[in-house]
Coordinates of all heavy atoms in Angstrom, one line a residue:
M1 N 117.7 256.6 274.9 CA 117.1 257.4 273.8 C 115.8 257.9 274.2 O 115.0 257.3 274.8 CB 117.0 256.5 272.6 CG 116.5 257.2 271.4 SD 116.7 256.2 269.9 CE 115.0 255.8 269.5
I2 N 115.6 259.2 273.9 CA 114.3 259.9 274.2 C 113.4 259.7 273.0 O 113.8 260.0 271.9 CB 114.6 261.4 274.5 CG1 115.5 261.6 275.7 CG2 113.3 262.1 274.7 CD1 115.9 262.9 276.0
D3 N 112.1 259.3 273.4 CA 111.1 259.2 272.3 C 110.5 260.5 272.1 O 109.8 261.0 272.9 CB 110.1 258.2 272.7 CG 110.5 256.7 272.7 OD1 111.4 256.4 271.9 OD2 110.0 255.9 273.4
A4 N 110.8 261.1 270.9 CA 110.3 262.3 270.5 C 109.1 262.1 269.6 O 109.2 261.1 268.8 CB 111.3 263.2 269.8
P5 N 108.1 262.9 269.6 CA 107.0 262.7 268.7 C 107.4 262.8 267.3 O 108.3 263.7 267.0 CB 106.0 263.8 269.1 CG 106.7 264.7 270.0 CD 107.9 264.0 270.5
R6 N 106.9 262.1 266.4 CA 107.2 262.1 265.0 C 106.5 263.3 264.3 O 105.4 263.7 264.7 CB 106.8 260.8 264.2 CG 107.5 259.6 264.7 CD 107.0 258.5 264.0 NE 108.1 258.2 263.0 CZ 108.0 257.3 262.0 NH1 106.9 256.5 262.0 NH2 109.0 257.1 261.2
P7 N 107.2 264.0 263.4 CA 106.5 265.1 262.7 C 105.3 264.5 262.0 O 105.2 263.4 261.6 CB 107.6 265.6 261.6 CG 108.9 265.0 262.1 CD 108.5 263.8 262.9
A8 N 104.3 265.4 261.8 CA 103.0 265.0 261.2 C 103.3 264.4 259.8 O 102.6 263.4 259.5 CB 102.1 266.2 261.1
S9 N 104.2 265.0 259.1 CA 104.5 264.4 257.7 C 105.0 263.0 257.8 O 105.0 262.3 256.8 CB 105.5 265.3 257.0 OG 106.7 265.3 257.6
H10 N 105.5 262.5 258.9 CA 106.1 261.2 259.0 C 105.2 260.2 259.7 O 105.5 259.0 259.8 CB 107.3 261.2 259.8 CG 108.5 262.0 259.2 ND1 109.7 262.1 259.7 CD2 108.5 262.8 258.1 CE1 110.5 262.9 259.0 NE2 109.8 263.3 257.9
Q11 N 103.9 260.6 260.0 CA 103.0 259.8 260.7 C 102.7 258.5 259.9 O 102.4 257.4 260.5 CB 101.7 260.5 261.1 CG 102.0 261.6 262.2 CD 102.5 261.0 263.5 OE1 102.0 260.0 263.9 NE2 103.4 261.7 264.1
E12 N 102.6 258.6 258.6 CA 102.1 257.5 257.8 C 103.3 256.5 257.4 O 103.1 255.5 256.9 CB 101.5 258.0 256.5 CG 102.4 258.6 255.5 CD 102.6 260.1 255.6 OE1 102.1 260.7 256.6 OE2 103.2 260.7 254.7
L13 N 104.5 256.9 257.9 CA 105.7 256.0 257.6 C 105.7 254.9 258.7 O 105.2 255.0 259.8 CB 107.0 256.8 257.7 CG 107.2 257.9 256.7 CD1 108.5 258.7 257.0 CD2 107.2 257.3 255.3
P14 N 106.3 253.7 258.3 CA 106.4 252.6 259.3 C 107.3 253.1 260.5 O 108.2 253.9 260.3 CB 107.1 251.5 258.5 CG 107.2 251.9 257.1 CD 106.9 253.4 257.0
T15 N 107.0 252.6 261.6 CA 107.7 253.0 262.8 C 109.3 252.7 262.7 O 110.0 253.3 263.4 CB 107.2 252.4 264.1 OG1 107.1 251.0 264.0 CG2 105.7 252.9 264.3
W16 N 109.6 251.6 262.0 CA 111.1 251.3 261.9 C 111.8 252.2 261.0 O 113.1 252.2 261.0 CB 111.2 249.8 261.4 CG 110.5 249.6 260.1 CD1 109.3 249.0 259.9 CD2 111.0 249.8 258.8 NE1 109.0 248.9 258.6 CE2 110.1 249.5 257.9 CE3 112.2 250.4 258.3 CZ2 110.3 249.6 256.5 CZ3 112.4 250.5 256.9 CH2 111.4 250.1 256.1
L17 N 111.2 253.1 260.3 CA 111.8 254.0 259.3 C 112.0 255.4 260.0 O 111.0 256.1 260.1 CB 111.0 254.1 258.0 CG 111.6 254.9 256.9 CD1 113.0 254.3 256.5 CD2 110.7 254.9 255.7
F18 N 113.2 255.6 260.4 CA 113.5 256.9 261.1 C 115.0 257.3 260.8 O 115.7 256.4 260.4 CB 113.2 256.8 262.6 CG 113.9 255.7 263.2 CD1 115.2 255.8 263.8 CD2 113.4 254.4 263.3 CE1 115.9 254.8 264.4 CE2 114.0 253.4 264.0 CZ 115.3 253.5 264.5
E19 N 115.3 258.5 261.1 CA 116.7 258.9 260.9 C 117.6 258.1 261.9 O 117.3 258.0 263.0 CB 116.9 260.4 261.2 CG 116.2 261.3 260.2 CD 116.2 262.8 260.4 OE1 116.9 263.2 261.4 OE2 115.5 263.5 259.7
G20 N 118.7 257.5 261.3 CA 119.6 256.7 262.0 C 119.3 255.2 261.9 O 120.1 254.4 262.3
A21 N 118.1 254.9 261.3 CA 117.7 253.5 261.2 C 118.6 252.8 260.1 O 119.0 253.4 259.1 CB 116.3 253.3 260.8
R22 N 118.9 251.5 260.3 CA 119.6 250.7 259.2 C 118.5 250.1 258.3 O 117.6 249.4 258.8 CB 120.5 249.6 259.9 CG 121.6 250.3 260.8 CD 122.2 249.2 261.7 NE 122.9 248.2 260.9 CZ 124.2 248.3 260.5 NH1 124.9 249.4 260.9 NH2 124.7 247.4 259.7
V23 N 118.7 250.3 257.0 CA 117.8 249.9 256.1 C 118.4 249.2 254.8 O 119.6 249.4 254.7 CB 116.8 251.0 255.6 CG1 116.0 251.6 256.7 CG2 117.5 252.1 254.8
L24 N 117.6 248.5 254.1 CA 118.0 247.9 252.8 C 117.4 248.7 251.7 O 116.2 249.0 251.8 CB 117.7 246.4 252.8 CG 118.3 245.5 253.7 CD1 117.7 244.1 253.5 CD2 119.8 245.5 253.5
D25 N 118.1 248.8 250.6 CA 117.6 249.4 249.4 C 117.5 248.3 248.4 O 118.5 247.9 247.8 CB 118.4 250.6 248.9 CG 117.9 251.1 247.5 OD1 116.9 250.6 247.0 OD2 118.6 252.0 247.0
P26 N 116.3 247.6 248.2 CA 116.3 246.5 247.3 C 116.8 246.8 245.9 O 117.2 245.9 245.1 CB 114.8 246.1 247.3 CG 114.3 246.7 248.5 CD 115.0 247.9 248.8
G27 N 116.7 248.0 245.4 CA 117.1 248.4 244.1 C 118.7 248.3 244.0 O 119.2 248.2 242.9
R28 N 119.3 248.5 245.1 CA 120.8 248.6 245.0 C 121.4 247.4 245.9 O 122.6 247.2 245.8 CB 121.4 249.9 245.5 CG 121.0 251.0 244.6 CD 121.5 252.3 245.1 NE 122.9 252.4 245.3 CZ 123.6 253.5 245.3 NH1 123.0 254.6 245.2 NH2 124.9 253.5 245.4
D29 N 120.6 246.9 246.8 CA 120.9 245.8 247.7 C 122.0 246.0 248.7 O 122.5 245.2 249.4 CB 121.3 244.5 246.9 CG 121.2 243.3 247.7 OD1 120.3 243.2 248.6 OD2 122.0 242.4 247.5
P30 N 122.4 247.3 249.0 CA 123.3 247.6 250.1 C 122.5 247.9 251.4 O 121.4 248.3 251.3 CB 124.1 248.7 249.7 CG 123.2 249.5 248.8 CD 122.3 248.5 248.1
E31 N 123.1 247.6 252.4 CA 122.6 248.1 253.7 C 123.0 249.6 253.9 O 124.2 249.9 253.6 CB 123.1 247.2 254.9 CG 122.4 247.5 256.2 CD 122.8 246.5 257.3 OE1 122.6 245.3 257.0 OE2 123.2 246.9 258.3
A32 N 122.2 250.4 254.4 CA 122.5 251.8 254.6 C 121.9 252.4 255.8 O 121.1 251.7 256.4 CB 122.1 252.6 253.3
V33 N 122.3 253.6 256.2 CA 121.8 254.3 257.3 C 121.0 255.5 256.8 O 121.5 256.3 256.0 CB 123.0 254.7 258.2 CG1 122.4 255.5 259.5 CG2 123.8 253.6 258.7
V34 N 119.8 255.7 257.4 CA 118.9 256.8 257.0 C 119.6 258.0 257.6 O 119.8 258.2 258.8 CB 117.5 256.6 257.6 CG1 116.7 257.9 257.3 CG2 116.9 255.4 257.0
Q35 N 119.9 259.0 256.7 CA 120.5 260.3 257.1 C 119.4 261.3 257.4 O 119.5 262.2 258.3 CB 121.4 260.8 256.0 CG 122.5 259.9 255.7 CD 123.4 259.7 256.9 OE1 124.0 260.6 257.5 NE2 123.6 258.4 257.3
A36 N 118.3 261.3 256.6 CA 117.2 262.2 256.7 C 116.0 261.7 256.0 O 116.1 260.8 255.1 CB 117.6 263.6 256.1
I37 N 114.8 262.2 256.3 CA 113.6 262.0 255.7 C 112.9 263.3 255.5 O 112.6 264.0 256.4 CB 112.6 261.0 256.5 CG1 113.3 259.7 256.8 CG2 111.3 260.8 255.7 CD1 112.6 258.8 257.7
A38 N 112.8 263.7 254.2 CA 112.2 265.0 253.9 C 111.7 265.0 252.4 O 112.0 264.1 251.6 CB 113.3 266.1 253.9
D39 N 110.8 265.9 252.1 CA 110.3 266.1 250.8 C 111.5 266.5 249.8 O 112.3 267.3 250.3 CB 109.2 267.1 250.7 CG 108.0 266.6 251.4 OD1 107.8 265.5 251.7 OD2 107.1 267.5 251.5
F40 N 111.6 265.9 248.6 CA 112.7 266.2 247.7 C 112.1 266.4 246.3 O 111.3 265.5 245.8 CB 113.7 265.1 247.7 CG 114.8 265.2 246.7 CD1 115.8 266.1 246.8 CD2 114.7 264.4 245.6 CE1 116.7 266.2 245.9 CE2 115.7 264.5 244.6 CZ 116.7 265.4 244.7
E41 N 112.5 267.4 245.7 CA 112.0 267.7 244.3 C 113.3 267.4 243.4 O 114.3 268.1 243.5 CB 111.5 269.1 244.1 CG 111.0 269.3 242.6 CD 110.5 270.7 242.4 OE1 110.1 271.3 243.4 OE2 110.4 271.1 241.2
D42 N 113.2 266.4 242.5 CA 114.3 266.1 241.6 C 114.4 267.3 240.7 O 113.5 267.6 239.9 CB 113.9 264.8 240.9 CG 115.0 264.3 239.9 OD1 115.8 265.2 239.4 OD2 115.2 263.1 239.8
P43 N 115.6 267.9 240.6 CA 115.8 269.1 239.8 C 115.7 268.7 238.3 O 115.4 269.6 237.5 CB 117.2 269.6 240.1 CG 117.8 268.5 240.9 CD 116.8 267.6 241.4
A44 N 116.0 267.5 237.9 CA 116.0 267.1 236.5 C 114.6 266.9 236.0 O 114.2 267.3 234.9 CB 116.8 265.8 236.3
T45 N 113.7 266.3 236.8 CA 112.4 265.9 236.4 C 111.3 266.7 237.0 O 110.2 266.7 236.6 CB 112.1 264.4 236.8 OG1 112.0 264.3 238.2 CG2 113.0 263.4 236.2
R46 N 111.7 267.5 238.0 CA 110.7 268.4 238.8 C 109.7 267.5 239.5 O 108.6 267.9 240.0 CB 110.0 269.4 237.9 CG 111.0 270.3 237.1 CD 111.8 271.1 237.9 NE 111.1 272.1 238.6 CZ 111.6 273.0 239.4 NH1 112.9 273.0 239.6 NH2 110.9 274.0 239.9
R47 N 110.0 266.2 239.6 CA 109.0 265.3 240.4 C 109.3 265.4 241.9 O 110.5 265.3 242.3 CB 109.4 263.8 239.9 CG 108.5 262.8 240.5 CD 108.7 261.4 240.0 NE 108.2 260.5 240.9 CZ 109.0 259.6 241.6 NH1 110.3 259.6 241.4 NH2 108.5 258.8 242.5
L48 N 108.2 265.5 242.6 CA 108.3 265.6 244.0 C 108.2 264.2 244.7 O 107.4 263.4 244.4 CB 107.2 266.4 244.6 CG 107.2 266.6 246.1 CD1 108.4 267.4 246.7 CD2 105.9 267.2 246.6
I49 N 109.2 263.9 245.5 CA 109.1 262.6 246.3 C 108.8 263.1 247.8 O 109.6 263.7 248.4 CB 110.5 261.9 246.3 CG1 110.9 261.5 244.8 CG2 110.4 260.6 247.1 CD1 112.2 260.9 244.7
R50 N 107.6 262.7 248.2 CA 107.2 263.0 249.6 C 107.9 262.1 250.5 O 107.9 260.9 250.3 CB 105.7 262.9 249.6 CG 105.1 263.3 250.9 CD 103.6 263.6 250.7 NE 102.8 263.4 252.0 CZ 102.9 264.1 253.1 NH1 103.7 265.1 253.1 NH2 102.2 263.9 254.1
N51 N 108.5 262.6 251.6 CA 109.1 261.8 252.6 C 110.3 261.0 252.0 O 110.5 259.8 252.3 CB 108.2 261.0 253.3 CG 107.3 261.7 254.3 OD1 107.7 262.7 254.9 ND2 106.1 261.3 254.4
A52 N 111.0 261.6 251.1 CA 112.1 260.9 250.5 C 113.1 260.4 251.5 O 113.3 261.1 252.5 CB 112.9 261.8 249.5
V53 N 113.7 259.2 251.4 CA 114.6 258.7 252.4 C 116.1 258.9 251.8 O 116.4 258.3 250.8 CB 114.4 257.2 252.6 CG1 115.3 256.7 253.7 CG2 112.9 257.0 253.1
F54 N 116.9 259.7 252.5 CA 118.3 259.9 252.2 C 119.1 258.9 252.8 O 119.1 258.8 254.1 CB 118.6 261.4 252.6 CG 117.9 262.4 251.8 CD1 116.6 262.7 252.1 CD2 118.5 263.2 250.9 CE1 115.9 263.7 251.5 CE2 117.9 264.2 250.1 CZ 116.6 264.5 250.5
L55 N 119.8 258.1 252.1 CA 120.6 257.0 252.6 C 122.1 257.2 252.4 O 122.5 257.9 251.4 CB 120.2 255.7 251.9 CG 118.8 255.3 252.1 CD1 118.5 254.0 251.2 CD2 118.4 255.0 253.5
R56 N 122.9 256.7 253.2 CA 124.4 256.7 253.0 C 124.9 255.4 253.6 O 124.5 254.9 254.6 CB 125.0 257.9 253.8 CG 126.5 257.9 253.7 CD 127.1 259.2 254.2 NE 126.7 260.2 253.3 CZ 126.5 261.5 253.7 NH1 126.6 261.8 255.0 NH2 126.1 262.4 252.8
P57 N 125.9 254.8 253.0 CA 126.5 253.5 253.5 C 127.1 253.8 254.9 O 127.6 254.9 255.2 CB 127.6 253.2 252.6 CG 127.4 254.0 251.3 CD 126.6 255.2 251.7
E58 N 127.0 252.8 255.8 CA 127.5 252.9 257.1 C 129.0 253.1 256.9 O 129.7 252.5 256.1 CB 127.4 251.6 257.8 CG 127.7 251.8 259.3 CD 127.3 250.6 260.2 OE1 126.9 249.6 259.7 OE2 127.4 250.8 261.4
G59 N 129.6 254.1 257.6 CA 131.0 254.4 257.6 C 131.3 255.5 256.6 O 132.4 256.0 256.4
G60 N 130.3 256.0 255.9 CA 130.4 257.0 254.9 C 130.3 256.6 253.5 O 130.3 255.4 253.2
G61 N 130.3 257.6 252.6 CA 130.3 257.3 251.1 C 129.2 258.3 250.5 O 128.7 259.1 251.1
K62 N 128.9 257.9 249.3 CA 128.0 258.8 248.5 C 126.5 258.5 248.9 O 126.1 257.4 249.0 CB 128.2 258.5 247.0 CG 127.4 259.4 246.2 CD 127.7 259.3 244.7 CE 126.9 260.3 243.9 NZ 127.2 260.4 242.6
E63 N 125.8 259.6 249.2 CA 124.4 259.5 249.6 C 123.5 259.3 248.4 O 123.9 259.8 247.3 CB 124.1 260.8 250.3 CG 122.7 260.9 250.9 CD 122.5 262.2 251.7 OE1 122.1 263.2 251.1 OE2 122.7 262.1 252.9
W64 N 122.4 258.6 248.6 CA 121.4 258.5 247.5 C 120.0 258.6 248.1 O 119.9 258.6 249.3 CB 121.6 257.2 246.6 CG 121.3 255.9 247.3 CD1 120.1 255.2 247.2 CD2 122.1 255.2 248.2 NE1 120.2 254.1 247.9 CE2 121.4 254.0 248.6 CE3 123.4 255.3 248.7 CZ2 121.9 253.1 249.5 CZ3 123.9 254.4 249.6 CH2 123.2 253.3 249.9
I65 N 119.0 258.7 247.3 CA 117.7 259.0 247.7 C 116.8 257.9 247.1 O 116.9 257.5 246.0 CB 117.2 260.3 247.2 CG1 118.1 261.4 247.7 CG2 115.8 260.6 247.6 CD1 117.9 262.8 247.1
I66 N 115.9 257.4 248.0 CA 114.8 256.5 247.5 C 113.5 256.9 248.1 O 113.4 257.6 249.0 CB 115.1 255.0 248.0 CG1 115.1 254.9 249.5 CG2 116.4 254.5 247.4 CD1 115.2 253.4 250.0
A67 N 112.4 256.4 247.5 CA 111.1 256.6 247.9 C 110.9 255.8 249.2 O 111.5 254.7 249.4 CB 110.1 256.3 246.9
P68 N 110.1 256.3 250.2 CA 109.9 255.5 251.4 C 109.4 254.1 251.3 O 109.8 253.2 252.0 CB 109.0 256.4 252.3 CG 108.4 257.3 251.3 CD 109.3 257.5 250.1
E69 N 108.5 253.9 250.3 CA 108.0 252.6 250.1 C 109.0 251.5 249.6 O 108.8 250.3 249.6 CB 106.8 252.6 249.2 CG 107.0 253.2 247.8 CD 106.8 254.7 247.7 OE1 106.7 255.4 248.7 OE2 106.9 255.1 246.5
A70 N 110.1 252.0 249.1 CA 111.2 251.1 248.6 C 112.1 250.6 249.7 O 112.7 249.5 249.6 CB 112.0 251.8 247.5
A71 N 112.1 251.3 250.8 CA 113.0 250.9 251.9 C 112.5 249.7 252.6 O 111.3 249.4 252.7 CB 113.2 252.0 252.9
R72 N 113.4 248.8 253.1 CA 113.1 247.6 253.9 C 114.0 247.6 255.1 O 115.1 248.1 255.1 CB 113.4 246.3 253.0 CG 112.6 246.2 251.8 CD 111.2 245.9 252.1 NE 110.3 246.0 250.9 CZ 109.5 247.0 250.5 NH1 109.5 248.1 251.2 NH2 108.8 246.9 249.4
P73 N 113.5 247.1 256.3 CA 114.3 247.0 257.4 C 115.5 246.1 257.2 O 115.4 245.1 256.5 CB 113.4 246.3 258.5 CG 112.0 246.4 258.0 CD 112.1 246.5 256.4
A74 N 116.7 246.5 257.7 CA 117.9 245.8 257.5 C 117.8 244.4 258.1 O 118.5 243.5 257.5 CB 119.1 246.5 258.2
D75 N 117.0 244.1 259.1 CA 116.9 242.8 259.6 C 116.1 241.8 258.8 O 115.9 240.7 259.2 CB 116.4 242.8 261.1 CG 115.1 243.5 261.2 OD1 114.5 243.8 260.2 OD2 114.6 243.6 262.4
E76 N 115.6 242.2 257.6 CA 114.8 241.4 256.7 C 115.7 240.6 255.8 O 115.2 239.9 254.9 CB 113.8 242.2 255.9 CG 112.6 242.5 256.6 CD 111.5 243.1 255.7 OE1 111.7 243.2 254.5 OE2 110.5 243.4 256.2
R77 N 117.0 240.6 255.9 CA 117.9 239.9 255.1 C 117.7 238.4 255.1 O 117.4 237.8 256.0 CB 119.3 240.2 255.4 CG 119.9 241.3 254.6 CD 121.4 241.4 254.9 NE 121.7 242.8 254.5 CZ 122.6 243.1 253.5 NH1 123.3 242.1 253.0 NH2 122.7 244.3 253.2

């Protein structure tokens, strides 16, 4: 794997949180894979989530979004 520099917007995120990382969502308790990390504006509330974490269950399924501070490393089980 080639170590690419992180985008400036991701500098404040923990190093274990990156696209492709396996994480836990304590609010839902499933293990998931990070699909993307990007700013997201909720169309219903117009609330901006900076560096929102887009998750999907391993093997596929419905994607969901959490705030970066809610994610936990999968090995913390």
Side-chain angles (χ1 to χ4, degrees):
M1 183 166 109
I2 298 173
D3 285 334
R6 298 181 99 185
S9 63
H10 296 184
Q11 293 297 322
E12 69 271 7
L13 297 175
T15 57
W16 57 263
L17 188 56
F18 56 89
E19 291 177 9
R22 296 169 64 90
V23 300
L24 295 175
D25 174 1
R28 293 177 63 157
D29 200 32
E31 189 170 310
V33 178
V34 176
Q35 300 298 305
I37 300 172
D39 291 348
F40 173 74
E41 184 177 340
D42 184 327
T45 65
R46 307 297 289 180
R47 181 176 159 250
L48 178 69
I49 301 173
R50 186 163 151 68
N51 290 323
V53 180
F54 294 74
L55 300 174
R56 181 170 289 147
E58 186 169 17
K62 187 173 179 169
E63 186 174 82
W64 71 97
I65 301 167
I66 63 172
E69 59 273 9
R72 299 289 174 257
D75 59 2
E76 279 192 1
R77 265 188 203 238

